[in-house]
Amino acid sequence: MEFLDTVTLSRLITAMTLIFHIIFATLGVGVPLFISIAEFIGIKKKDKHYELLAKRWARGFVITVAIGVVTGTAIGLQLSLVWPNFMELAGNVIALPLFMEVFAFFFEAIFLGIYLYTWDRFKGKYTHWFLSIPVVIGAGMSAVFITTVNSFMNSPAGFTMVNGEFAAVNPLEAMFNPSSPTRILHVLGGSYVTVAAILATIAAIALLRKKGAAAYHKKALKMTVISIFVFSIFTAVAGDVSAKYLAKHQPEKLAAAEWHFETEENADLILFGWLNEENEPVGEIRLPGFLSFLAHGDFSSEVTGLNETPEDERPPLIIHYFFDLMVSIGLFLLGISFLYLVLSRFKRFNVHNRLMLWMLAASGPLAMLAVEFGWVFAELGRQPWILRGYMTVEEAATSSPYILHMFFLFLALYIVLGTLCVRTLRKLFKDNPVEVELEKHYPELSKGDESA
Amino acid sequence: MSYEIVGITVLWLFLYGYLIVASIDFGAGFYAYFAKVSKQDHITNKLISRYLSPVWEVTNVFLVFFFVGIVGFFPSTAYYFGSALLVPASIAIVLLAIRGSFYAFENYGSKKSNTYMFLYGATGLLIPASLSVALILSEGGFITEEGGVVSLLYKTLFTSPLSWSIVVLAMVAVLYISASFLAYYASRANDQPALQLVRKWALFWSTPTIIMALTTMIALSQHNERHFENMLDLWWIFGLSVGSFLVAAGLLYMGRNYGTAFIAVMLQFFFAFFGYGMAQYPYLLYPYINIEDSVTNPSMAVALIVAFIGGLLLLVPSLILLMRLFLFDADYVKGKK
């Protein structure tokens, strides 16, 4: 069975774990920031609504963090279990950021525990808020460090190769390899946009259902939509810089993403479409010269085509769709948040109309899809390499015959975890809706809430 | 000191840290289930859940720290242990995942169900068993390497007296460490009924712990003579371990100074664990991985040690804060906060 060789299975098992983990990792990076912002606004404006927002987000966050921790542990161990040859080689160069990632995670874990269990323990309100800062920093730093590891795999640096072994290793140079800066910015920005969009989705759905506590949800929506706008600009800029990086250092990935075969000047940007039997794009939207602009900031510049890359080193052409979908969703998020902010300036216009709310409700799931698409694009785009230019995935994978069993073991685990997570979150918030909680803890607010 | 000695000492310290904090956690899970089945849960549950809630995530990090660190300092461990441990370590991951996530689901989601309590208790004993396979492998004789393919000899593993001794030792030690900590915690909370119960558990599990330690020594003498001989040369370390055991058991028996008793338990395992590790020197995996040959390049070793010191400067104050807020805050322990 050619399809089920150990290499393919190793790839599938890692892909499955990561696709599942990324959902919770993204939440883990982003949610603490918004909890912290909400609590700060709540204290500053003496607005109990924001305080409750922070509390309720934190409560849901605990559930997702638990899954993030356990799937993160899984991928950490799987690196050595599924790719032992890779870790033996690369461990010499990338151990430092991996190690530092664990430190950041440790730091975050300690303060998250303290933060969650000390809501009413301190006299000064800012003392408790202050505890959220190390959580935000820890979460961000783990994303930074782990992204440098992945960047190293895309653009290895900081060593020389002598007889198949690494020599003259410079750990810092390996960590801050050429692709690290742009990828770190894109990952952080993307995580913050996505989490803002997910929190906006929650508020939009609540408003659509008209269950009450409208003032509370409107505040949540405004705060998160502003964040979507700010961070999606940030992410788009980082994405653009990433594309320019690819054009320069990893041209085969950009060429495969854009189905750009012949090296040419004034290259067209191809949106969607499909390939016919001669590998020519059909049914596509063509933006003349825009690929050159994307790659080098100049419409007439030359863009390297895929034909320059040896055939057995080319990434799969399917990554075109992932790239296009990621970019489209990113532009949608930017557009919808901009529209909301502009329209909310007009007092006579009801910005909370159903169409707007529906679009905002869609933005969370779409943003999470964009994160997944982006990662699939980035990872498939460096095939067949695990260490670009140095080691292929075939040389890196385990040879254990039990990998198929492990695939199903983990598949079962993720199905169980995913189901339980959704059920627990639903139950947690359904059994204790905002209205009830507002009335119980802040009776002064629930009166006249509907009018606001 | 050379890099590899610093590296392995640091890692061994973290593994020891994991052994203590994880034992408390895993044992508590087992006791929570046991108390429920034997209808004593009204006495202990508050005690157990109050301790566990803020620290479960931190416990997990100790383990991640160890396996990331060992691959960093000694990359060839990834090749040998990674290849051989695919199945046992994957099972351990699944058990850890069940435990870690179910903990949050149950605590914040719904009421305590019996199935969950059972899983929580069972994983508490199965995780130490599956993790100890790594320790068993390091004694050598359980894996082969042919044509670049490393495989685990399951039959040898499952029929070896040494592997069973280590597995059982891991399980009883978990129960012993956990009960002696809970006794200390109950005495801090001044919760007499719970204290009397967990004190009984601690005393009960002290005997099998020491018996299994001896059994493991005997099995080791037959399996890996080199390691055993080295341990005999370090007899004084194991003497200190036995001495600490006697102090702990004595204090528990007399029913006083539970704090000192728990420190003695920690020392008992500290000496035994370090003696065991030192006697294995210079091997990490007999006879494939020699510490000196497998250490990473010097620049990475220095970077890791610097990162480690920096990390500790950050972690130690935070850990102290965590402990002061939860473990050693008398009012919190008593349930007033």
Side-chain angles (χ1 to χ4, degrees), chain A residues 228-270:
Chain A
I228 297 179
F229 181 69
V230 172
F231 287 116
S232 55
I233 291 180
F234 183 83
T235 311
V237 171
D240 183 58
V241 181
S242 294
K244 296 193 168 32
Y245 162 81
L246 284 183
K248 209 168 166 192
H249 298 276
Q250 230 175 320
E252 77 278 7
K253 196 191 246 184
L254 189 68
E258 280 304 326
W259 291 345
H260 180 64
F261 299 98
E262 301 291 337
T263 301
E264 59 181 3
E265 290 173 5
N266 190 17
D268 296 351
L269 188 75
I270 292 173

Side-chain angles (χ1 to χ4, degrees), chain A residues 73 85 93 117 121 169 428, chain B residues 60 79 101 108 299-300 325 329:
Chain A
T73 311
N85 304 314
V93 195
Y117 288 87
R121 258 177 92 171
V169 172
L428 186 66
Chain B
N60 203 43
Y79 174 66
S101 54
Y108 302 95
S299 51
M300 180 53 82
L325 282 170
D329 185 314

Side-chain angles (χ1 to χ4, degrees), chain A residues 345-414:
Chain A
R345 294 254 148 211
F346 297 101
K347 285 251 161 18
R348 310 226 342 238
F349 185 84
N350 176 21
V351 74
H352 297 106
N353 63 57
R354 292 188 69 81
L355 178 66
M356 181 57 101
L357 288 178
W358 272 113
M359 287 200 285
L360 286 171
S363 65
L366 281 176
M368 194 53 94
L369 275 178
V371 170
E372 297 283 5
F373 292 152
W375 274 113
V376 171
F377 160 63
E379 296 305 281
L380 277 184
R382 68 180 156 99
Q383 293 304 317
W385 301 107
I386 191 164
L387 264 184
R388 182 179 177 271
Y390 293 95
M391 189 183 224
T392 60
V393 290
E394 287 184 30
E395 298 162 316
T398 182
S399 44
S400 170
Y402 297 105
I403 190 86
L404 179 65
H405 303 81
M406 295 304 111
F407 177 81
F408 286 107
L409 179 75
F410 282 105
L411 181 63
L413 174 71
Y414 301 141

